[in-house]
Amino acid sequence: MTAIPEEPAWRQRAVERSTRAAKQRAEQRVQRFLDAAQELIAEKGTTDFTVQEVVDRSKQSLRSFYQHFDGKHELLLALFEDALSTSAVEIREATSGAGEPLPRLRIAVEMLFEQSLPNPGVQRPLFSDFALQLLVKHPAQVATAHLPLLTLFTELLEQAAEAGSIHADKPRRLAALVMQTVMFAAQANGVPSDSHAHPVTADEVWQFCLGGISGA
Amino acid sequence: MTAIPEEPAWRQRAVERSTRAAKQRAEQRVQRFLDAAQELIAEKGTTDFTVQEVVDRSKQSLRSFYQHFDGKHELLLALFEDALSTSAVEIREATSGAGEPLPRLRIAVEMLFEQSLPNPGVQRPLFSDFALQLLVKHPAQVATAHLPLLTLFTELLEQAAEAGSIHADKPRRLAALVMQTVMFAAQANGVPSDSHAHPVTADEVWQFCLGGISGA
DNA sequence: ATGCGGGTGAGAATAACATTCTCATTCCAT
DNA sequence: ATGGAATGAGAATGTTATTCTCACCCGCAT
């Protein structure tokens, strides 16, 4: 449609070359923002730091921040996706060793549970804090961010189903259910006031999910 | 300790009498705020109305609003507790008729699922929208608000356990798990973008929970 | 009647933030 | 070296919640 054959290849290459450096610099700046935000999250335990704080800590400027991010929301989203994606990688590694499908699934569930716990000291508040805000306002982006984990769990369920360990009609939906159950159960934990009432353990969650995926 | 016998009973009664009217007026005002907020929630489908809007609609004043509520948060909390409490009553009624414990539990699960869906037109956004914010910032209050439902589900589980339909070691924790699973599964639904991916149905959720509570 | 006190209305003032804007400066590919 | 893009510094704007000021009204004890 808008193809312009006159556009010589060399020009594209030139532009590309001159662009590459700029892109690198931009990525560095973005990374500095991301790092600063991580630190703040780790320190404060929540995601309600100020954009100004991020800017100050990264020794850059508001101007620059908004040049690289659409807003605080985009920054958090980037961190969130990254965290979930990393988590998926970790769990995948831990479950990639040989072994029966069901025990591997169990490991996955328990890892996800622990990583979703409120404050194991690290920058995990992303799982809880921001995830929930996002769930309300931008569910589509949550779906995207969940994708790596969802894929992983779907695979594990399919493998278990092939091995005949469980019944898995619609592995994808089941995977989604399991993930939600695990993550929110963890979320609702570690809270002083209601922990006396129902401090669910990783094992209980696993038993529950196991029953759920095994079929009644 | 600070008992003052000189305080004549008639004075107390007099004060009480003169107080009663004031209290009534206060309750009326509070109710007007609550009603106005309900309307706004129903209309806008979210809880991010302005305090000013509530004030305007209820034809009162900011001054008065903060006289009766500690803040917007308290207002939402009141509505939230009310909604969950009402929901518990409805579900309890629907499941109080005679019948096997398990089918009754199923009804409860399906009702809760439907009531937790994003926007069935009514003022249900409280379940999703505000509940999640609350879960992050004030988990204790969430626990309180959940209590009526938690009690109901615990009872249903216990009855099913007595009838031998399921294994229920720790009914309270199981009840909490079931509630969370159901409510969040519903929450993650009804969203255009990820509904193509995993539009979980009430029945699927029930099957999952049934498996979970039946034991592996 | 009168004056007192608490609740009320109207709306300005404050406070925290996110986001945008201005302008001067710096950086960089040509 | 130079023009255009990126950046820094920080002021300006906009939105909300929350608080404050002041005038008013109403019930009631003297």
Side-chain angles (χ1 to χ4, degrees):
Chain A
M1 316 296 253
T2 52
I4 301 176
E6 333 316 333
E7 179 73 3
W10 66 263
R11 173 175 285 273
Q12 291 186 30
R13 269 183 278 114
V15 169
E16 205 281 327
R17 210 178 326 132
S18 92
T19 282
R20 196 163 36 211
K23 185 174 295 182
Q24 287 230 340
R25 260 177 293 128
E27 277 171 13
Q28 277 208 340
R29 290 179 175 281
V30 165
Q31 194 56 49
R32 280 167 62 195
F33 285 125
L34 292 176
D35 291 346
Q38 280 283 19
E39 287 180 27
L40 286 170
I41 289 176
E43 286 172 21
K44 311 183 59 158
T46 75
T47 59
D48 44 358
F49 52 80
T50 305
V51 172
Q52 189 64 52
E53 290 176 304
V54 175
V55 165
D56 290 348
R57 177 165 306 223
S58 69
K59 303 222 186 297
Q60 294 177 95
S61 69
L62 271 179
R63 180 74 180 67
S64 198
F65 179 86
Y66 285 101
Q67 185 101 27
H68 296 292
F69 293 95
D70 249 13
K72 182 181 179 180
H73 181 263
E74 296 295 321
L75 170 69
L76 288 173
L77 186 59
L79 291 173
F80 182 60
E81 286 187 11
D82 200 59
L84 284 193
S85 166
T86 298
S87 186
V89 168
E90 288 177 17
I91 297 178
R92 169 161 264 133
E93 276 181 11
T95 59
S96 65
E100 295 302 306
L102 219 48
R104 296 199 296 160
L105 181 58
R106 174 175 187 159
I107 291 175
V109 165
E110 289 177 348
M111 281 187 74
L112 181 60
F113 182 81
E114 272 159 29
Q115 294 193 340
S116 303
L117 283 173
N119 61 10
V122 218
Q123 63 278 21
R124 296 306 186 188
L126 280 174
F127 282 75
S128 37
D129 197 324
F130 180 59
L132 296 180
Q133 302 174 221
L134 207 57
L135 189 52
V136 176
K137 305 283 182 189
H138 311 272
Q141 302 179 328
V142 175
T144 301
H146 276 183
L147 205 57
L149 276 172
L150 182 60
T151 303
L152 171 58
F153 274 86
T154 303
E155 289 173 17
L156 289 172
L157 281 179
E158 281 169 345
Q159 291 169 15
E162 280 177 24
S165 310
I166 62 172
H167 125 96
D169 204 11
K170 310 173 182 75
R172 203 178 178 77
R173 296 186 185 188
L174 267 189
L177 266 179
V178 170
M179 279 181 52
Q180 279 183 351
T181 301
V182 172
M183 293 174 84
F184 288 128
Q187 168 59 39
N189 248 21
V191 183
S193 41
D194 66 66
S195 63
H196 77 93
H198 22 100
V200 181
T201 71
D203 196 60
E204 282 173 318
V205 173
W206 163 246
Q207 292 299 332
F208 186 82
C209 290
L210 177 57
I213 61 183
S214 300
Chain B
M1 316 301 248
T2 52
I4 301 176
E6 332 316 332
E7 179 74 3
W10 68 261
R11 175 175 283 272
Q12 291 186 29
R13 270 184 276 115
V15 168
E16 206 281 328
R17 211 178 323 133
S18 92
T19 283
R20 196 164 34 212
K23 185 173 295 182
Q24 288 232 338
R25 260 178 291 133
E27 276 170 15
Q28 279 209 339
R29 289 176 176 281
V30 165
Q31 194 56 49
R32 279 165 64 193
F33 285 125
L34 292 175
D35 291 346
Q38 280 283 18
E39 288 180 28
L40 287 169
I41 290 176
E43 285 172 21
K44 310 182 60 158
T46 77
T47 58
D48 45 359
F49 52 81
T50 303
V51 173
Q52 189 63 53
E53 289 176 304
V54 176
V55 165
D56 290 347
R57 178 165 305 224
S58 68
K59 303 221 185 299
Q60 293 175 97
S61 69
L62 271 180
R63 179 76 181 66
S64 198
F65 178 86
Y66 285 100
Q67 185 101 28
H68 296 292
F69 292 95
D70 248 14
K72 182 181 178 181
H73 181 263
E74 296 295 321
L75 169 69
L76 288 173
L77 186 60
L79 291 173
F80 181 60
E81 287 186 12
D82 200 60
L84 284 193
S85 166
T86 297
S87 185
V89 168
E90 287 177 18
I91 297 178
R92 170 160 262 135
E93 276 180 10
T95 59
S96 66
E100 295 302 306
L102 220 47
R104 295 198 297 161
L105 181 58
R106 173 175 188 156
I107 291 175
V109 165
E110 290 179 346
M111 280 186 75
L112 182 60
F113 182 82
E114 272 159 29
Q115 294 193 340
S116 303
L117 282 172
N119 62 9
V122 218
Q123 63 277 21
R124 297 307 185 186
L126 280 174
F127 281 76
S128 37
D129 197 323
F130 179 61
L132 295 179
Q133 301 174 222
L134 207 58
L135 188 52
V136 176
K137 304 285 182 188
H138 312 272
Q141 302 180 329
V142 175
T144 301
H146 276 183
L147 205 57
L149 276 172
L150 182 60
T151 302
L152 171 57
F153 274 86
T154 303
E155 289 174 17
L156 289 172
L157 281 180
E158 281 169 344
Q159 292 169 14
E162 281 177 23
S165 309
I166 62 173
H167 125 96
D169 205 12
K170 310 173 182 75
R172 203 178 177 78
R173 297 186 184 188
L174 267 189
L177 266 179
V178 169
M179 278 179 55
Q180 279 182 351
T181 301
V182 172
M183 292 174 85
F184 287 129
Q187 168 59 39
N189 248 20
V191 184
S193 41
D194 65 64
S195 62
H196 77 93
H198 22 101
V200 182
T201 69
D203 196 59
E204 282 173 318
V205 173
W206 163 244
Q207 293 298 332
F208 186 83
C209 290
L210 177 57
I213 60 183
S214 300

